Amino acid sequence: MNLGLKDLSSSSLRPSPLRCRLTMFTLLYTIITAELIVYKLVAGLQIESKYQVDLIEGLQIFNATYRGLTVVEGFHKLSPAIQLSGDSRQIILPVEVHNKASELLYHSNEFTFTVTLKQEERNTGTILSFSEGNNRFLEVQTSGRKDEIRFHYTYEDMLYVETFPYRLADNTWHQLALTVSGNNIEVFVDCTKIYTRVLKEIERDFTGKNISLWLGQRNARHFLFKGYLQDVKIIGRSHGYIQQCPHLNTECPTCGQFHQLQLSVVHLENHLRELTNRLVEAENRLTVVEECECRKSCHINGSVHPDGASWKQACDICSCMKGEVKCHPVHCAPANCKNPFQAPGECCPTCLKRCLLHGVLFDHGEEVSPRDCVKCECKNGNMECDKIDPDTFCSPLTCPEEEQFSVPGECCRFCPGIDFCAKGHDCHINASCVNLQTRYTCHCDTGFHGDGNHCEDVDECQKEGDHNGHHCHKNTHCINVPGSYICECLPGYRRMDAFSCAALCNQTCLNGGNCVAPNICSCRRGFTGPNCEIDVDECSLGLHQCHPNSQCVNMPGWYYCDCLPGYQSYLVDNNLGIMCQDIDECFLDSHTCHSTAICINEDGGFRCECNDNTTCSLGCIHHGTERANGDTWFSENDACSRCTCTNGVVSCNKLECNCNKPDINLDCCPQCDQSSYCQHQEVARKFSNGEQWIYQCQVCECLYGEVDCWPIECPPVMCEKPTRQPGDCCHRCEGDPCNSQTFTSDEVSGNITSNLQAGRGCFYRGLMYRYGDRVPVSEDPCTSCNCKNGQLCCTYTPSCSNNTVHSDFFKYKDLHDNLKQRIFPSNTVADLHDFSKPDLEIFGDQEGSSEGPLSSSPEHSTMEGRIALVEEHLTESSLENLATGVIEDILPTFQWSSIESGKNFGSSELATSATESSSAADDES
């Protein structure tokens, strides 16, 4: 190993005793440091108590009482155990225990969390957590819902969760140890190593953060562990798991020790390099010291000043410092008088004597007029007075003598226009003095009104604009102040200038959403809700683009297409399921036909036939078990699925969740459990059992009144350079059209609009929509979707919840769609807003006709207006009115022309068809 030693023998500098001593010291330091490192590596495995923190012991459970905590007998009798129960508890470690644990983690890159536990089934709970509210920085958690062990940590202000599949929540005692060594983590369960993973660098510096150390929960409300805990410890040394399992083998060196060894070697090389540089510098300084002492003296104008000498030169103080002269001005004390005097040859000004006249002291240089035409000046203690001759002292006057006048106290005469205000006035404090020809007058200042001797404030907020009104813009509130006014920003806005304010976002927007106005979030594609906390189910809303041979699978924030049963893809990248091809179950012998029947392959499946009706069976062979035709049974792999044998073909489907049944299986239908609910971690929203949401890049689910969260699964990214912005959970492509949005001035009221520019239209449920068109997608009145460059981008508008939605809207939605399909067949209409002239015949006369109610008003004279009127009646009228009279009321009596088939039918036939469509829709629902 090259330690960076420099070959000083080849230096041009001559050897010196100092160099030899420094070189010997450097080599000795190297040897001692290396020996210490080796000693640390081979040291014994006993871990001193100062490197351990026992959390249960830190609670002082025998001297304190905690709600939901009971001291019990544990897995062994060597230490106490605790039972944690209930939904309301707050077990926080004391500050001194938290500080010791934090210091232990900060100063060691190897640490171990150990616990002996017995957890209730289906419980998801935190064992220990360094957290601040809902933000966890280091946490150990076990899930009985997902059967996982989770390790939460932060790196560069990003949260990461490492999951280890294992079932601990089984009401059985287990020993768990998580050992972190460098960026390596090992998981031990019941003294058996089950996992080894590589992590990112773990943030262990908690200084400057308001973090608490919790036991058995993340915070006061979430992830409450239910069961028993014993020996919950934080160990700040390598091989910490041996405290729990002494018989386990230890590796030497560990990853952390090897990493520490690398750091020590690097530190040693840097220190040795620093010593070498300091040695060269010291030798250079010795060379300078050995030079002639006379070089340090200063030579000024033939005079020699030794090093360190100081002298006064004129009004400067000069010093000699290593052969250089440095000067600075003499420091002068402050002169406390009006006219300081600086005598010739002196460096600092001084105060001369003052004068006393009629009991008043005057500084040197001050002037005073004790009476008319007499002027006196104080000169170093003497008051010298001179009489003024008006004929020689006063300036010539330009006005005639008869216009000249005298003013008391003045030696000279004046012409009209004298400054009377300067002589004194009695104007109000909020008024200004104005000189007139022979006197002065008082006028109230701007913002006040009165006669000048008494002025009152003008309330500008009572009037908008003009001279006496305010000029505050919107989003502000006018506040009157004496003589003026202030435009105060409304709550939720910040000041732009003295008269206007802009939106100040105080809304918590989750899942990468942006606050665009007070209490309004603009959500990323795939999320909606007031805080972007709700996942958009693209599958149920029909927003997906999956091929008919595939099925849409909804994921948090996205979806993917999976091949339907009977189809499979032979490509790794099966985008939108377009490569799903039929599986020949007969050829592959993966069918379920009886051996006596004949398998016939079909597109997406197969069928079984019998040629010999006497010996052939249409039963099923499923997983080696023969099932009779018509038999039903529960699936071996899913207790919530029921399988049926029908003519040799086995089909398995999820049980129908009818929450009205008294014997409903809540394990299969958790949404039917109305006895409890879950609260969102951050925003004011409650979730029923079975509901899921996204929080801090995790999928959270409410089940049995408890919340469980697991890492979010990110969608595949098809671009070359995906990006991940702050607040994003997954990488995204910059070209996502739903990511770029601008908002109009109506954003405060919730009218958020997308950037409208030329782009591709959208095809949705058989209809084509232009760029920027609103698409009727969601049944949620607060969710609106627009077509944007080929994709549907949806936003959530909170203010719409104040609007009234007719109760019959959804009941007749299918009827509305059915009639629209009859009027505009999907295979003939390319764009609802771009009709050709023949298409207008479906509304009777040519455009511009005056017959019928559709033409009776200007707003219904265009095609868009007619469509809007039709939709208005179809969505707001009752079924009876719709079937009997609406069509005839809103449309003229004419023949409806089917563009596709040419069939003609009247409005009565259409009403009958509408009634049939409604009945079909009711039957389907």
Side-chain angles (χ1 to χ4, degrees):
M1 176 179 62
N2 179 18
L3 295 179
L5 291 173
K6 184 177 181 181
D7 185 7
L8 299 177
S9 61
S10 62
S11 175
S12 60
L13 301 174
R14 63 181 183 277
S16 66
L18 178 61
R19 177 198 289 181
C20 297
R21 288 195 296 271
L22 288 175
T23 303
M24 294 177 61
F25 169 76
T26 301
L27 295 176
L28 181 61
Y29 176 83
T30 303
I31 296 173
I32 294 175
T33 304
E35 289 180 349
L36 287 175
I37 294 174
V38 174
Y39 173 76
K40 291 179 180 179
L41 292 178
V42 300
L45 298 177
Q46 293 296 328
I47 300 177
E48 301 178 45
S49 59
K50 65 179 181 180
Y51 299 119
Q52 303 183 44
V53 178
D54 190 323
L55 302 190
I56 295 181
E57 181 181 285
L59 289 175
Q60 300 180 356
I61 54 179
F62 296 107
N63 298 323
T65 302
Y66 297 89
R67 176 186 292 181
L69 184 150
T70 306
V71 181
V72 296
E73 184 176 330
F75 180 69
H76 57 76
K77 298 182 180 180
L78 300 179
S79 60
I82 59 175
Q83 180 183 9
L84 300 179
S85 59
D87 297 324
S88 176
R89 63 173 187 258
Q90 190 165 341
I91 304 178
I92 306 178
L93 274 299
V95 176
E96 57 273 12
V97 180
H98 169 266
N99 292 340
K100 181 180 178 181
S102 299
E103 287 291 321
L104 205 62
L105 295 174
Y106 178 71
H107 291 99
S108 176
N109 70 334
E110 295 191 82
F111 56 89
T112 299
F113 298 128
T114 64
V115 62
T116 303
L117 56 88
K118 181 180 179 181
Q119 187 178 11
E120 294 181 5
E121 294 182 353
R122 299 190 301 192
N123 170 250
T124 297
T126 294
I127 298 174
L128 62 90
S129 177
F130 290 87
S131 63
E132 178 184 2
N134 289 305
N135 300 317
R136 63 272 191 210
F137 296 89
L138 199 61
E139 180 175 295
V140 178
Q141 187 184 88
T142 171
S143 171
R145 304 249 293 278
K146 288 288 185 178
D147 291 334
E148 293 175 343
I149 302 168
R150 299 168 185 161
F151 179 69
H152 303 247
Y153 68 98
T154 54
Y155 168 68
E156 294 184 348
D157 296 328
M158 293 291 293
L159 178 66
Y160 295 89
V161 182
E162 199 73 22
T163 60
F164 308 94
Y166 197 89
R167 178 174 173 79
L168 288 178
D170 56 0
N171 265 329
T172 305
W173 283 102
H174 294 283
Q175 291 178 305
L176 172 65
L178 284 81
T179 296
V180 177
S181 180
N183 62 344
N184 187 76
I185 185 172
E186 296 178 331
V187 180
F188 298 83
V189 175
D190 297 331
C191 296
T192 300
K193 183 193 297 185
I194 60 173
Y195 288 104
T196 299
R197 300 266 182 88
V198 176
L199 308 176
K200 297 183 182 295
E201 195 71 26
I202 298 177
E203 176 62 43
R204 294 175 286 112
D205 185 6
F206 300 149
T207 57
K209 299 182 177 70
N210 187 24
I211 293 179
S212 300
L213 177 55
W214 295 77
L215 179 64
Q217 56 196 108
R218 176 180 296 172
N219 50 45
R221 294 189 306 168
H222 296 105
F223 297 102
L224 276 65
F225 180 91
K226 295 183 179 180
Y228 302 84
L229 295 177
Q230 188 177 21
D231 296 333
V232 185
K233 296 182 179 181
I234 302 176
I235 303 172
R237 277 293 181 266
S238 59
H239 307 297
Y241 55 85
I242 65 171
Q243 295 295 109
Q244 192 179 70
C245 305
H247 64 279
L248 288 180
N249 296 327
T250 57
E251 299 176 357
C252 185
T254 64
C255 293
Q257 290 173 331
F258 183 75
H259 182 62
Q260 185 64 38
L261 178 60
Q262 287 179 315
L263 295 178
S264 300
V265 171
V266 172
H267 175 74
L268 180 60
E269 290 180 341
N270 293 336
H271 192 69
L272 185 59
R273 189 177 299 108
E274 181 184 356
L275 289 177
T276 303
N277 294 335
R278 292 173 62 182
L279 176 61
V280 174
E281 182 182 355
E283 289 191 338
N284 292 334
R285 294 180 62 184
L286 284 176
T287 302
V288 176
V289 170
E290 293 172 357
E291 294 181 357
C292 179
E293 186 70 18
C294 64
R295 294 183 57 184
K296 297 182 177 179
S297 302
C298 299
H299 300 264
I300 302 294
N301 297 329
S303 301
V304 179
H305 299 276
D307 185 28
S310 299
W311 66 95
K312 183 179 179 182
Q313 180 175 322
C315 289
D316 291 332
I317 301 296
C318 299
S319 301
C320 179
M321 300 180 63
K322 297 181 180 180
E324 295 183 8
V325 177
K326 296 183 178 180
C327 299
H328 59 83
V330 174
H331 176 70
C332 296
N336 297 321
C337 55
K338 295 181 180 179
N339 301 299
F341 176 78
Q342 187 168 348
E346 296 294 332
C347 297
C348 297
T350 58
C351 292
L352 298 183
K353 297 178 182 179
R354 295 190 292 176
C355 304
L356 181 65
L357 179 63
H358 300 313
V360 180
L361 287 174
F362 297 90
D363 280 345
H364 169 78
E366 281 192 284
E367 296 181 350
V368 64
S369 297
R371 60 180 181 270
D372 293 348
C373 298
V374 175
K375 182 180 180 180
C376 300
E377 181 182 1
C378 179
K379 293 184 178 179
N380 196 19
N382 295 323
M383 185 65 76
E384 299 180 0
C385 298
D386 297 321
K387 189 174 181 179
I388 300 174
D389 184 1
D391 296 334
T392 59
F393 176 78
C394 296
S395 301
L397 298 179
T398 58
C399 59
E401 186 174 357
E402 61 271 13
E403 294 181 6
Q404 299 175 7
F405 60 90
S406 299
V407 177
E410 296 290 341
C411 182
C412 301
R413 293 171 62 84
F414 295 91
C415 288
I418 189 172
D419 188 1
F420 293 100
C421 293
K423 305 301 181 181
H425 60 82
D426 61 349
C427 296
H428 191 265
I429 188 174
N430 294 320
S432 299
C433 179
V434 179
N435 284 301
L436 301 178
Q437 184 175 6
T438 59
R439 61 184 179 86
Y440 68 87
T441 186
C442 300
H443 286 288
C444 293
D445 295 334
T446 302
F448 297 90
H449 65 89
D451 59 5
N453 297 109
H454 179 74
C455 299
E456 294 181 354
D457 176 58
V458 175
D459 189 355
E460 295 87 353
C461 296
Q462 298 298 324
K463 181 181 179 181
E464 183 175 358
D466 205 356
H467 178 67
N468 292 324
H470 72 88
H471 296 273
C472 295
H473 296 171
K474 64 178 181 178
N475 306 326
T476 64
H477 173 64
C478 180
I479 298 179
N480 185 62
V481 296
S484 184
Y485 61 93
I486 298 175
C487 301
E488 185 180 68
C489 294
L490 295 177
Y493 294 84
R494 58 183 174 85
R495 180 167 303 282
M496 298 297 293
D497 53 41
F499 305 99
S500 59
C501 300
L504 175 65
C505 288
N506 54 0
Q507 178 81 339
T508 300
C509 300
L510 307 175
N511 301 312
N514 295 321
C515 181
V516 296
N519 301 320
I520 296 180
C521 291
S522 169
C523 301
R524 278 288 182 87
R525 181 185 178 192
F527 296 96
T528 185
N531 303 90
C532 306
E533 78 281 8
I534 303 175
D535 167 56
V536 175
D537 190 343
E538 295 87 353
C539 300
S540 63
L541 294 176
L543 298 178
H544 64 88
Q545 300 178 13
C546 294
H547 189 270
N549 292 346
S550 63
Q551 58 185 350
C552 176
V553 180
N554 185 62
M555 299 295 290
W558 63 290
Y559 72 93
Y560 69 91
C561 304
D562 190 22
C563 292
L564 288 169
Y567 297 91
Q568 67 179 358
S569 174
Y570 298 96
L571 298 179
V572 177
D573 180 15
N574 183 19
N575 188 22
L576 302 180
I578 58 177
M579 296 303 295
C580 293
Q581 301 178 6
D582 174 61
I583 300 175
D584 191 342
E585 296 87 354
C586 301
F587 177 78
L588 297 175
D589 199 23
S590 59
H591 61 86
T592 58
C593 296
H594 195 271
S595 58
T596 60
I598 299 175
C599 175
I600 300 176
N601 186 62
E602 293 181 338
D603 188 25
F606 63 94
R607 72 176 188 271
C608 307
E609 291 186 352
C610 287
N611 291 334
D612 186 356
N613 294 330
T614 57
T615 60
C616 180
S617 171
L618 289 180
C620 302
I621 305 297
H622 187 62
H623 296 316
T625 302
E626 184 174 349
R627 304 282 184 176
N629 186 20
D631 276 1
T632 60
W633 66 96
F634 284 102
S635 173
E636 297 85 350
N637 301 323
D638 186 2
C640 297
S641 295
R642 182 179 290 274
C643 300
T644 304
C645 175
T646 304
N647 296 329
V649 180
V650 174
S651 58
C652 297
N653 300 295
K654 289 282 187 179
L655 293 177
E656 180 184 358
C657 291
N658 186 353
C659 298
N660 295 323
K661 294 182 178 179
D663 58 344
I664 188 70
N665 187 343
L666 296 180
D667 291 333
C668 298
C669 304
Q671 65 271 24
C672 296
D673 183 7
Q674 304 297 325
S675 62
S676 58
Y677 64 89
C678 300
Q679 179 71 45
H680 191 276
Q681 295 92 328
E682 194 167 343
V683 299
R685 181 179 175 85
K686 294 180 180 180
F687 295 94
S688 302
N689 286 302
E691 281 192 276
Q692 292 185 351
W693 65 98
I694 310 297
Y695 181 70
Q696 291 186 344
C697 299
Q698 290 189 300
V699 181
C700 297
E701 182 183 31
C702 178
L703 204 61
Y704 310 111
E706 293 187 1
V707 177
D708 189 19
C709 301
W710 54 90
I712 190 174
E713 183 178 352
C714 291
V717 182
M718 300 303 178
C719 55
E720 293 183 0
K721 296 181 179 179
T723 60
R724 184 179 181 184
Q725 303 294 335
D728 285 349
C729 296
C730 302
H731 287 84
R732 292 177 177 267
C733 295
E734 290 291 346
D736 188 347
C738 296
N739 287 346
S740 58
Q741 292 183 337
T742 57
F743 304 95
T744 67
S745 59
D746 294 330
E747 62 189 12
V748 177
S749 62
N751 296 325
I752 303 177
T753 59
S754 298
N755 229 351
L756 298 183
Q757 56 184 2
R760 294 184 291 114
C762 303
F763 191 77
Y764 177 70
R765 290 188 175 177
L767 297 177
M768 181 65 70
Y769 296 86
R770 292 186 304 179
Y771 189 101
D773 283 352
R774 187 180 185 277
V775 183
V777 170
S778 175
E779 296 182 353
D780 183 358
C782 293
T783 299
S784 61
C785 299
N786 293 78
C787 175
K788 191 172 184 182
N789 202 21
Q791 295 187 12
L792 297 184
C793 304
C794 302
T795 57
Y796 186 87
T797 308
S799 60
C800 77
S801 59
N802 299 327
N803 300 331
T804 303
V805 181
H806 199 279
S807 59
D808 292 336
F809 175 79
F810 301 124
K811 181 177 180 180
Y812 305 118
K813 183 174 185 298
D814 291 337
L815 173 61
H816 166 272
D817 291 342
N818 180 274
L819 291 178
K820 180 181 288 187
Q821 288 294 330
R822 289 176 176 268
I823 299 173
F824 307 113
S826 59
N827 61 340
T828 60
V829 180
D831 192 330
L832 285 181
H833 299 272
D834 187 16
F835 293 97
S836 60
K837 192 171 183 179
D839 295 334
L840 301 178
E841 296 179 359
I842 63 175
F843 283 104
D845 295 341
Q846 301 296 327
E847 184 177 29
S849 172
S850 61
E851 297 182 6
L854 280 183
S855 305
S856 61
S857 58
E859 61 270 20
H860 299 150
S861 61
T862 63
M863 181 58 60
E864 287 83 355
R866 297 185 179 187
I867 295 175
L869 184 61
V870 173
E871 292 183 343
E872 177 183 355
H873 283 76
L874 289 178
T875 55
E876 295 185 358
S877 300
S878 65
L879 179 60
E880 181 179 359
N881 291 337
L882 175 67
T884 58
V886 167
I887 302 300
E888 298 183 10
D889 289 340
I890 66 174
L891 298 178
T893 56
F894 55 86
Q895 296 297 315
W896 292 64
S897 301
S898 173
I899 300 176
E900 178 180 10
S901 61
K903 176 183 176 181
N904 297 329
F905 51 93
S907 58
S908 59
E909 296 176 88
L910 181 60
T912 304
S913 176
T915 307
E916 296 173 353
S917 300
S918 176
S919 301
D922 291 339
D923 293 339
E924 182 179 357
S925 63

